[in-house]
Amino acid sequence: MQKIFKSNAVTGWLMVSPLAIVLFFFLVLPIAMITIVSFWQATEFSIIPAFQFDNYEFLFGSPVTYTVFVNTFKYAILTWIFTFLIGFTVAYYLAFHIRSLTWQIALFLLCTIPFWTSNIIRMISWIPFLGRNGIANSTLMSWGVIDEPVEWLLFSDFSVVLAFVHIYTLFMVVPIFNTMMRIDKSLIEAARDGGANGAQILWNVILPLTKPGIMIGTIFVVTLVMGDFFTVRIMSGSQSANVGRLISNDISLLQYPSASATAIILLLTVLIVIGILLRFVDIRKEL
Amino acid sequence: MEPRSRSFYVLTAFFVLFILFLYGPTLTIGILSFQGPGGGLTFPMRGVSLYWFYDLFEQQAVGDIWGSFRRSLVLGLMVMVTTIVVSVMGGLAFRKRFPGSAILFYLIVTALVIPSILISLGVGLLFSQAGINVHWATSGYGAQLTWTLPFGLLIMFAVFNRFDKSFEEAARDQGASSWQTVRYVVLPIIAPSLIGVALFGFTLSYDEFARTLLTSGSKNTLPLEIYGMTTNVTSPVLYALGTLTTVFSLIIIGLFLGIAVWANRRRANKGNDAGKGMV
């Protein structure tokens, strides 16, 4: 018994060693490095090893930080609401209303194809849509809904959230669809035989059973939105910021210690959010 | 079959709208890339031409599109192969529940959820402090792997959780060694899923922007090049590039789907002894 356990451990670690090495050098060490640098000092030309709390003091002392964090959560929550509503509906449609597996796969692939176009290109492609003379405005004007172009369509919170929803809804569809496909159809029949109507089945049977998928999708969407920096930059026309942008601004000014301090706070925030979400589901069991 | 309920038609309409929402911008770009020479970034179209595609193939004033495309392609393939090999090994290892697997699992989850700019910043700082130059094929490659490997592993976990262990037991009962079991039983069965891992690995790398930002060194990858263009190019040449990269992605997907279909057919032919007489 002891021998089997030992050989399992040895072969297991041997096989997993490439993964462990990559994660050590490109995940653990970089995080350690950021943590260390966040206590360093920066001058205009270089960074100096030190141990001081100036970066954090500045970060917590600045009202900008709080505005930016509020903004970050605002984007995350709004994007989550929309991606969840759309993602759940689409997954539900594919899983329960499409009857043949071939069609399910075909329609699912149809959803994933735009995903393979560069994110940046997909973002820029909103500009001819939403701009002052864009398709949306000219259509609305020709219909007589509005008299003059609506300004808030592009370079606003609206366009930022729209772009997020556009890019990340699929991250919600995939895990929800995956869990829905594993729901035993006889449970739904039983509910129907028991006299439940469609809405009751959805609320009392499907929704609870889909919870793990929803949680996994939520984790993806929330973390991707919170760490994003270029969607916010492009779609807000550099008019608003989230934490990611704060970090990337510091990086472009070569203020690495201050960028590191912000990064550490962002990381802690994301991990806390994930920690809370993981309390609702054991993802290891759900894979 | 029972008749379709009204909700089916409502949901179908919703799904069609969703598809339009997904494709709309890409299609707009596709159309606008055929803008005439005098046309701008928005409608109306001023004529129809291939002008901006020619413009793209000529020597660009900004950057090096074809060089960056080549680098992205090579990097994507490197990441793809690594992701397949390491994910399969990792997937097999995690079935053994070796000691320390829980910690490693949480590390994988961390890699998945960590904001990508942190990887970029951390790897960049690490290399600069160690006095090593960042390069897309070293630091960029490693930084991208922190994102593709967890995805590949998640897929492998899902695959192995649905794997029927009796196939392996049968092989072992027939006297196969553990290597033979993996090579002749496990790998052929999971092969179709590996195409998914490959596709994920390649496209995640090919499109990765944030993790490559500070780790690619002096030579840009394609997403970085496009990002640079968005800030200083204001002509439809940007759309022409968008159309071309989209077409390229579609070719890649077609290729992978073709391989998948071919592999499935081959497997069906080899694994099926129907009509071959006595069992």
Side-chain angles (χ1 to χ4, degrees):
Chain A
M1 197 63 212
Q2 185 65 32
K3 206 177 169 186
I4 295 167
F5 172 78
K6 206 180 165 191
S7 83
N8 245 2
V10 171
T11 50
W13 269 105
L14 269 180
M15 281 157 82
V16 92
S17 57
L19 172 76
I21 290 168
V22 168
L23 290 183
F24 179 74
F25 278 101
F26 291 95
L27 182 74
V28 177
L29 277 187
I31 295 176
M33 194 71 210
I34 295 176
T35 315
I36 294 166
V37 173
S38 72
F39 294 104
W40 285 8
Q41 273 176 338
T43 67
E44 277 172 48
F45 311 104
S46 60
I47 50 177
I48 305 158
F51 186 77
Q52 37 92 3
F53 288 92
D54 290 14
N55 302 311
Y56 289 101
E57 263 169 38
F58 180 77
L59 194 64
F60 286 111
S62 156
V64 176
T65 312
Y66 299 98
T67 329
V68 164
F69 264 92
V70 169
N71 235 354
T72 308
F73 279 109
K74 184 179 76 188
Y75 288 142
I77 291 168
L78 283 174
T79 309
W80 178 77
I81 292 172
F82 289 113
T83 51
F84 167 63
L85 291 177
I86 299 172
F88 187 87
T89 314
V90 169
Y92 175 78
Y93 173 72
L94 289 178
F96 292 107
H97 281 274
I98 302 297
R99 283 164 178 167
S100 85
L101 186 66
T102 320
W103 270 103
Q104 279 175 333
I105 294 172
L107 291 181
F108 184 74
L109 277 179
L110 191 69
C111 296
T112 56
I113 286 173
F115 182 69
W116 310 100
T117 306
S118 159
N119 269 348
I120 303 173
I121 300 269
R122 286 171 75 200
M123 246 170 259
I124 309 161
S125 55
W126 281 110
I127 294 169
F129 251 94
L130 303 175
R132 209 167 180 284
N133 302 311
I135 296 172
N137 268 324
S138 33
T139 313
L140 289 176
M141 285 207 295
S142 71
W143 288 350
V145 182
I146 48 170
D147 295 327
E148 51 186 73
V150 184
E151 298 284 353
W152 52 262
L153 284 181
L154 190 60
F155 303 144
S156 59
D157 284 348
F158 170 79
S159 54
V160 173
V161 173
L162 185 78
F164 275 138
V165 172
H166 191 227
I167 296 171
Y168 296 138
T169 300
L170 201 71
F171 283 88
M172 204 56 123
V173 175
V174 174
I176 296 180
F177 177 68
N178 190 30
T179 38
M180 278 182 177
M181 290 294 281
R182 289 159 68 190
I183 294 177
D184 192 344
K185 293 284 191 292
S186 53
L187 289 174
I188 293 162
E189 266 171 50
R192 195 170 293 137
D193 291 347
N197 62 29
Q200 284 171 326
I201 295 175
L202 184 67
W203 187 255
N204 294 316
V205 181
I206 295 174
L207 195 65
L209 289 175
T210 316
K211 213 176 71 181
I214 298 172
M215 280 305 151
I216 294 174
T218 303
I219 290 172
F220 271 122
V221 169
V222 168
T223 52
L224 284 166
V225 170
M226 286 187 73
D228 184 281
F229 60 97
F230 66 99
T231 310
V232 177
R233 210 200 99 168
I234 293 181
M235 296 309 288
S236 79
S238 298
Q239 283 172 32
S240 46
N242 66 347
V243 185
R245 266 208 77 199
L246 207 61
I247 299 171
S248 84
N249 280 350
D250 273 341
I251 290 175
S252 57
L253 297 170
L254 304 180
Q255 297 293 317
Y256 292 118
S258 135
S260 300
T262 317
I264 291 298
I265 301 298
L266 173 64
L267 181 62
L268 291 177
T269 316
V270 168
L271 289 180
I272 290 168
V273 172
I274 301 291
I276 294 169
L277 289 174
L278 283 182
R279 293 196 75 98
F280 295 103
V281 57
D282 177 6
I283 46 172
R284 241 189 131 150
K285 241 166 65 188
E286 296 304 330
L287 289 164
Chain B
M1 258 196 198
E2 55 182 307
R4 297 292 197 184
S5 59
R6 211 186 61 196
S7 61
F8 170 77
Y9 295 101
V10 175
L11 285 172
T12 306
F14 184 86
F15 184 74
V16 171
L17 281 179
F18 176 65
I19 293 291
L20 281 180
F21 171 63
L22 282 185
Y23 282 77
T26 319
L27 289 178
T28 316
I29 282 230
I31 296 167
L32 281 173
S33 59
F34 294 99
Q35 185 71 277
L41 282 172
T42 54
F43 284 105
M45 297 279 285
R46 291 173 211 275
V48 176
S49 73
L50 291 175
Y51 178 84
W52 300 106
F53 288 96
Y54 285 122
D55 200 50
L56 195 62
F57 281 91
E58 272 158 28
Q59 192 54 50
Q60 286 289 311
V62 281
D64 170 24
I65 292 171
W66 299 105
S68 63
F69 171 73
R70 208 180 51 240
R71 283 186 283 276
S72 275
L73 195 63
V74 173
L75 182 57
L77 291 174
M78 282 164 60
V79 169
M80 181 184 91
V81 172
T82 317
T83 306
I84 298 174
V85 174
V86 175
S87 304
V88 171
M89 287 169 70
L92 287 170
F94 267 95
R95 295 167 87 204
K96 296 182 190 293
R97 302 278 144 149
F98 56 91
S101 62
I103 296 169
L104 203 58
F105 179 76
Y106 281 109
L107 216 53
I108 292 165
V109 175
T110 312
L112 212 53
V113 299
I114 192 171
S116 28
I117 193 166
L118 258 84
I119 298 287
S120 218
L121 175 65
V123 174
L125 284 172
L126 195 66
F127 271 63
S128 72
Q129 290 303 313
I132 310 166
N133 277 333
V134 285
H135 189 273
W136 58 268
T138 57
S139 49
Y141 168 69
Q144 290 194 348
L145 285 179
T146 60
W147 170 237
T148 61
L149 292 185
F151 261 103
L153 270 163
L154 282 191
I155 300 175
M156 290 325 297
F157 287 163
V159 168
F160 281 128
N161 273 356
R162 288 164 186 66
F163 191 86
D164 190 346
K165 286 203 169 95
S166 50
F167 287 121
E168 282 168 287
E169 275 161 30
R172 230 170 285 132
D173 289 348
Q174 301 278 337
S177 69
S178 54
W179 165 245
Q180 282 172 325
T181 313
V182 170
R183 169 68 187 81
Y184 294 105
V185 178
V186 179
L187 281 185
I189 292 177
I190 64 171
S193 338
L194 293 188
I195 293 165
V197 176
L199 201 50
F200 249 101
F202 181 81
T203 39
L204 284 177
S205 156
Y206 182 69
D207 193 29
E208 182 54 42
F209 168 72
R211 278 167 211 256
T212 339
L213 185 63
L214 296 174
T215 58
S216 77
S218 53
K219 304 269 202 230
N220 277 347
T221 59
L222 194 59
L224 294 175
E225 195 70 29
I226 296 174
Y227 182 71
M229 282 176 78
T230 61
T231 54
N232 54 30
V233 176
T234 49
S235 73
V237 72
L238 208 56
Y239 294 157
L241 182 62
T243 305
L244 276 190
T245 50
T246 307
V247 170
F248 177 75
S249 299
L250 289 180
I251 293 172
I252 293 278
I253 305 168
L255 209 67
F256 276 94
L257 284 181
I259 296 173
V261 170
W262 172 78
N264 255 341
R265 223 173 257 165
R266 188 167 167 266
R267 195 161 65 127
N269 284 343
K270 277 200 164 178
N272 186 357
D273 59 357
K276 286 183 186 158
M278 299 256 301
V279 180

